[in-house]
Amino acid sequence: MHSFSITLQYIFTGIAVGSIYAMVALGFNIIYNCTGIINFAQGEFVMLGGMFMITLTTTWKLPSLVAFPIAVALVVLVGVGFERIAIHPLKSPSVLVLIMITIAGSILIKGVAMFAWGKEPCYLPHFSSETPINFLGATILPQNLWILGCLAAVVIVLAWFFNRTLVGKAMRACAHNRDAARLVGINVKQMVTLSFALSAAIGAVAGIVITPIILMDYQRGAMLALKGFGAAILGGLGSGPGAVVAGLLIGVLESLGAGYISSHYKDAIALVVLLGVLFIRPAGLLGSAEIQRLKKF
Amino acid sequence: MKRILAAAAIMCLLVSGIAFAQAVAPEPIKIGAVFAVTGPASKLGEPERNTVKMIEAEVNAAGGIKGRPIEIIVEDDGGVEANTVNAVKKLITNDKVIAIVGPTTSGASLAVKPIAEENSVPLVSCAAAEKIVNPVAKWVFKTPQKDSDAAIRIFENMKSKGISKIAIITSSDGFGSTGREQLKKHSPALGIEIVADETYAPADTDMTAQLTKIKASEAQAVINWSVVPGQVIVAKNMRQLGMTIPLYQSHGFGNPKNIQACGEAGEGIIFPAGRLLIVDELGADSKQKAVLAKYKADYQAKYPNDQVSTFGGHAYDALWLVLNAIKAVGPDKAKIRDYIENTKGFVGTGGIFNFSAEDHCGLDKSAFEMQTVKGGKFVALSSVKEEVKAKK
Amino acid sequence: MKKHVPLALFVVIVMGLPVLLKNPYYIGALVFVGIYSLITISLSLVLGYAGQISLGHAAFYGIGAYTSGLLTTRWHVSPWFALACSMVITGILAYAIGKPVLKLRGHYLAMATLGLGEIVYIFFNSAVDLTAGPSGFGQIPRLAIGGLVFKDDIRFYYLVWFTVAVLLALVLNIINSRIGRALRSIHGSETAANAMGVNTASYKIQIFVFSAVISAVAGGYYAHFVTFISPTTFDANTSILLVTMVIVGGMSNVWGAVLGAALLGTLPEYLRRFGDYDILVYGAIMMVIMMFAPGGLVSLAGLVKQKFVGNLSREPAA
């Protein structure tokens, strides 16, 4: 292999992996913006997306195009249900308590998934062919293109939603200042529910597109959540573009680290870079230190 | 009021009846089991738990051992070593078991090794690491085949094909790292050179970076040592990169679900494993055939949604070793230990066990059969070779 | 004198429990609770008093265990000296890490500490020649004083809980001292504290290093009690579990840290009867506590006290 092709291959791999981190990070951001909390159950939304898709397509034999929206809808239902049961009824909870509740939620969702789908990894066929596409000596799977496509679609829809629709603008208002938003007549609690729905949907999409490549089992969400959290922080909490850039960056760093330095320490390399960035820019790459100061936690 | 009185009277009768029945029924022989039924290793712990529960029902349906039923108390350690320590102490001091089967993982087995020793309770581990029985501990045994034998069988096969330069890729968990250790240890003696040594985290989603590096090296074959999902992803990533060199897997590959998950990328993978997966192919002369066929049939009848795997087989062997000992010498801890240590020619699912004071594993490299994936099924590598010869 | 009553009561309970329980299994489980308590008590200072979240304390716990374990097995250093070494090494590392990290706030601090914990965990896994890698190593010698070896669970129980009592006495003193007041001012508003002339950075790092060193002691105890260690014991899940213990127990009070460790440390044992469903019950219990007692278990105790003691004290007046 030519050394240029090798580098290109590392970058392709990194982008493919990183686009998943980016999607998970986007999910974190939406809930963070509305509530100020990190939802530790975000990884479970990803896992559920993949699992529902598997059941719908293999057990129920639904065509993928039909199963896809149903799977997303089911995860949204779980996300909204979780928010309604465990978070909505609380009066002025602290950020740490909310985070603990999401940790408990993730344990519960994981437990139910274990009984529903068993402990072995489940498998989903690729959306289109499995024949790799060759590009300047490096290869990429059609499924990787699906992942990138989904990331692009999610980004476009979110940009449209937050900039062009009234509800989206209301959610942004909550993110900037909850009290002011309440004063102008926005139902902040409804916005919180909506943020859970939205980030559950994004998680589900991510879960569905990666399952053919990574297989899915009930405890798969934890690692994806951890990486996504890293991406959200690196990009600057609350920043959409930050999440995408940082997700891809972490993916590429891991891949280059594994290729050129040591696969034993590849995750550590990405983390060292993350820490380095935080020491220089304590609010992440694209985060604002000013906004950060206004947040409770 | 009358009705309540009547109900109370019936209840009293029932309770005394049960108490009476209990007084008459012989006390069960208690055997402990610790498996990772939840947590990261739960896909191993689940079939192990299912297997011992199945045997318990079978033995009790047949009247127990010398008229006494057996009771298997299964504890879940969730793969957390502190929980395993607590679970084993509970079994020994609260439940007063006379022997323990498990734990599932190597780390947990090593953590409870001193407890079994101090309390003089026989423990038959279902985990792979050689450290469990080397150095030999008086009360600790294990049933899975040795990692070193798996490595040696792979290397022997490579040599027969003229492969001398290889790449290894292993997961950074207990299973992968002991494999990596054994591969590195035994390669020089067999004239194999490791030209690339890569690892990945057990939950990683993509190994193309590591494999690209291997592709650029002069390796003639790749050995992957891990359990799911890593072993499936490696196979698929190799196909994506257009790598044509042979892929060898560890004995962790022995699960039929892997074939389905790998799809086309699975064809031609070579790995050593016990003969459970190829039981239908075994000739009538195989000593293991009857045991394997019975285990497979029983398991699939009892758990139709689960496929029989070699992991459950380790628990099957471990429990039967203990049960055979109890049948022969009665429920006495020290006698059970002595009996297991002197067991020779025990036909289990993992192989034919010959224990001794120096060897508490009891299996040698003949316990492994080199296997491959052909036409979406596991087949013995030797049968594939014969076909090729016949065609020529 | 009155402020010593809870501590004295605690010592009596701890001394008395083994007499009541006798069973080595329960005693063994309580040893782990003691080990967790050491960490949660010191962590509650960082989290509850100084208001700084750390999702990386399993790293200090692990560094303590590995340093002590390696020194005793590889270089045959005496266990007590090894334990002291592990405290010093962890303290130095915590200082070096804490200096830049504690400048971060909120979720950024959480991620940074989580990341550092992961880096240490990866090191345990990957530096195979030093740490024996993911498969871990055993035959770590037990602690001993003269001829008294802390061999069985009961002896170790007294050792651990004696340490916990000493730590509690120390921490209760810290809380009521100048440092305690300074820490609480940081929790309230760091900017205001700074403006009042409190050197917040210095106090934060002091308390962070203190809790890291205590975690190292806990790690050393774990290593010498179980006599086997592997990286999984010190992963991110453990870090999260430790913080959960503090919050579930109630982070406004050091006693909450002990309660949290006692509840979540023994819960897996109570839940054995539920078989596979233990994970569901565990999650449900945690969620219910956080939803209905956001102040943690100690806040429940506070409610009870208000109801009963409050009424009692009012009665004479009426």
Side-chain angles (χ1 to χ4, degrees), chain A residues 6-294:
Chain A
I6 294 178
T7 311
L8 194 63
Q9 183 68 59
Y10 291 150
I11 291 172
F12 278 1
T13 300
I15 290 174
V17 175
S19 39
I20 293 303
Y21 300 166
M23 267 194 262
V24 180
L26 283 173
F28 273 122
N29 275 340
I30 290 169
I31 292 182
Y32 171 78
N33 273 339
C34 241
T35 61
I37 65 167
I38 290 294
N39 169 31
F40 269 79
Q42 190 65 31
E44 271 55 51
F45 293 158
V46 178
M47 178 268 295
L48 285 178
M51 286 305 201
F52 280 128
M53 186 72 177
I54 290 169
T55 307
L56 290 169
T57 52
T58 55
T59 316
W60 293 48
K61 309 269 186 240
L62 290 176
S64 297
L65 271 177
V66 182
F68 196 111
I70 300 178
V72 173
L74 286 170
V75 179
V76 167
L77 222 59
V78 173
V80 171
F82 171 53
E83 197 275 336
R84 282 279 150 172
I85 294 169
I87 292 176
H88 203 80
L90 303 182
K91 283 174 203 149
S92 64
S94 79
V95 170
L96 271 178
V97 166
L98 285 175
I99 292 177
M100 283 298 131
I101 288 177
T102 65
I103 291 180
S106 86
I107 295 175
L108 278 172
I109 295 176
K110 225 188 288 184
V112 172
M114 181 178 91
F115 288 106
W117 287 284
K119 292 159 188 172
E120 296 246 11
C122 301
Y123 154 79
L124 186 69
H126 286 232
F127 290 7
S128 45
S129 97
E130 270 191 69
T131 319
I133 300 159
N134 202 311
F135 182 79
L136 297 176
T139 52
I140 195 161
L141 287 173
Q143 189 67 31
N144 290 332
L145 298 179
W146 278 107
I147 297 177
L148 276 174
C150 281
L151 174 63
V154 164
V155 168
I156 291 167
V157 169
L158 284 181
W160 169 78
F161 176 76
F162 281 121
N163 291 315
R164 294 291 156 87
T165 65
L166 194 60
V167 184
K169 284 177 185 167
M171 276 182 85
R172 268 174 57 208
C174 290
H176 283 293
N177 190 329
R178 295 181 66 165
D179 296 326
R182 194 176 288 122
L183 282 176
V184 296
I186 296 169
N187 186 339
V188 175
K189 280 224 161 186
Q190 253 173 32
M191 290 300 133
V192 171
T193 312
L194 189 61
S195 74
F196 269 84
L198 210 55
S199 76
I202 296 172
V205 170
I208 294 169
V209 281
I210 45 160
T211 301
I213 292 188
I214 71 167
L215 309 185
M216 196 53 79
D217 62 74
Y218 74 98
Q219 37 196 353
R220 209 76 222 248
M223 193 276 298
L224 293 169
L226 199 69
K227 297 282 173 84
F229 182 36
I233 290 284
L234 179 61
L237 266 180
S239 158
V244 176
V245 170
L248 296 176
L249 187 64
I250 291 182
V252 172
L253 276 173
E254 280 179 10
S255 167
L256 287 175
Y260 289 118
I261 305 173
S262 157
S263 54
H264 315 311
Y265 288 101
K266 72 175 169 56
D267 291 344
I269 294 161
L271 285 168
V272 166
V273 173
L274 193 162
L275 289 171
V277 170
L278 288 186
F279 294 159
I280 301 163
R281 290 188 58 89
L285 288 174
L286 300 176
S288 152
E290 295 301 314
I291 290 178
Q292 214 46 55
R293 214 161 287 147
L294 295 174

Side-chain angles (χ1 to χ4, degrees), chain C residues 108-141:
Chain C
Y108 291 88
L109 179 60
M111 181 64 223
T113 46
L114 191 63
L116 285 165
E118 276 297 286
I119 292 174
V120 171
Y121 175 69
I122 293 167
F123 176 78
F124 290 153
N125 269 309
S126 303
V128 177
D129 294 329
L130 181 69
T131 63
S135 45
F137 65 94
Q139 287 163 318
I140 300 168

